[in-house]
């Protein structure tokens, strides 16, 4: 494998983009050697779905687009990042509020911890934020170089 594989897509902050983000992520990982019918692919699908949903619902119209970045490094670490231009960081909501809304980050943190990964939130230079999830790449999966993907 090259030093790392990268892929990204920018989507409009629209509810229809959540499905597009999921499809993009799972399709890219399949090109990199992770079959879409694995537990890891299901986990990534749900994490991307929740991150994209948060980018659409919680930016209050202040982020017209969001970007999904995928990076697979030579240490067999997968980084998923969703960046929007809204400055507010995700926050934990009281349990009463979470009954109907606000569970996305709870789900993301739980799934990430279950896989042995970690969640980070970093500000961007432009004033927004990137919510990142680092996951171990399944050892039994050997990444391949897919046409059209940038490698470094």
């Amino acid at each position: 494998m090259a030093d790392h594989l990268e892929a990204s897509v920018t989507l409009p902050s629209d509810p229809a983009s959540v499905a597009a983000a999921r499809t993009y992520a799972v399709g890219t990982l399949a090109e990199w050697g992770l079959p879409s019918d694995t537990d890891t692919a299901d986990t990534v699908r749900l994490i991307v779905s929740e991150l994209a949903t948060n980018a659409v619902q919680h930016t209050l119209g202040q982020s017209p687009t969001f970007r999904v970045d995928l990076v697979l490094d030579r240490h067999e670490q997968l980084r998923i990042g969703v960046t929007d231009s809204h400055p507010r960081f995700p926050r934990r909501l009281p349990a009463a509020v979470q009954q109907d809304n606000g569970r996305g980050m709870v789900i993301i943190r739980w799934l990430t911890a279950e896989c042995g990964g970690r969640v980070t939130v970093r500000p961007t230079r432009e004033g927004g934020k990137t919510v990142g999830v680092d996951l171990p790449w399944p050892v039994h999966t050997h990444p391949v170089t897919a046409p059209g993907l940038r490698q470094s």
Side-chain angles (χ1 to χ4, degrees), residues 61-83:
Q62 293 183 24
S63 182
T65 62
F66 67 95
R67 188 180 72 239
V68 178
D69 296 301
L70 302 168
V71 178
L72 179 59
D73 72 20
R74 64 183 163 179
H75 303 292
E76 297 189 343
Q77 221 25 52
L78 173 66
R79 176 158 187 81
I80 303 162
V82 173
T83 303

Side-chain angles (χ1 to χ4, degrees), residues 7-133:
S8 67
V9 64
T10 300
L11 299 165
S13 291
D14 179 89
S17 294
V18 174
R22 273 193 313 261
T23 300
Y24 177 79
V26 173
T28 298
L29 298 185
E31 290 176 7
W32 292 352
L34 180 68
S36 60
D37 60 352
T38 62
D39 288 343
T40 302
D42 287 341
T43 298
V44 169
R45 185 179 290 115
L46 186 51
I47 288 171
V48 169
S49 183
E50 292 297 330
L51 290 172
T53 297
N54 286 353
V56 170
Q57 289 184 345
H58 299 296
T59 58
L60 308 171
Q62 293 183 24
S63 182
T65 62
F66 67 95
R67 188 180 72 239
V68 178
D69 296 301
L70 302 168
V71 178
L72 179 59
D73 72 20
R74 64 183 163 179
H75 303 292
E76 297 189 343
Q77 221 25 52
L78 173 66
R79 176 158 187 81
I80 303 162
V82 173
T83 303
D84 64 58
S85 58
H86 192 282
R88 188 181 69 198
F89 277 40
R91 56 193 160 98
R92 294 186 190 269
L93 298 175
V97 175
Q98 289 181 13
Q99 289 176 0
D100 297 322
N101 195 358
R103 294 187 202 167
M105 286 305 295
V106 172
I107 292 167
I108 292 163
R109 290 182 203 287
W110 184 83
L111 287 168
T112 302
E114 183 182 59
C115 294
R118 67 186 182 109
V119 177
T120 58
V121 182
R122 297 179 327 273
T124 64
R125 282 178 274 185
E126 298 79 25
K129 68 191 161 300
T130 299
V131 180
V133 174

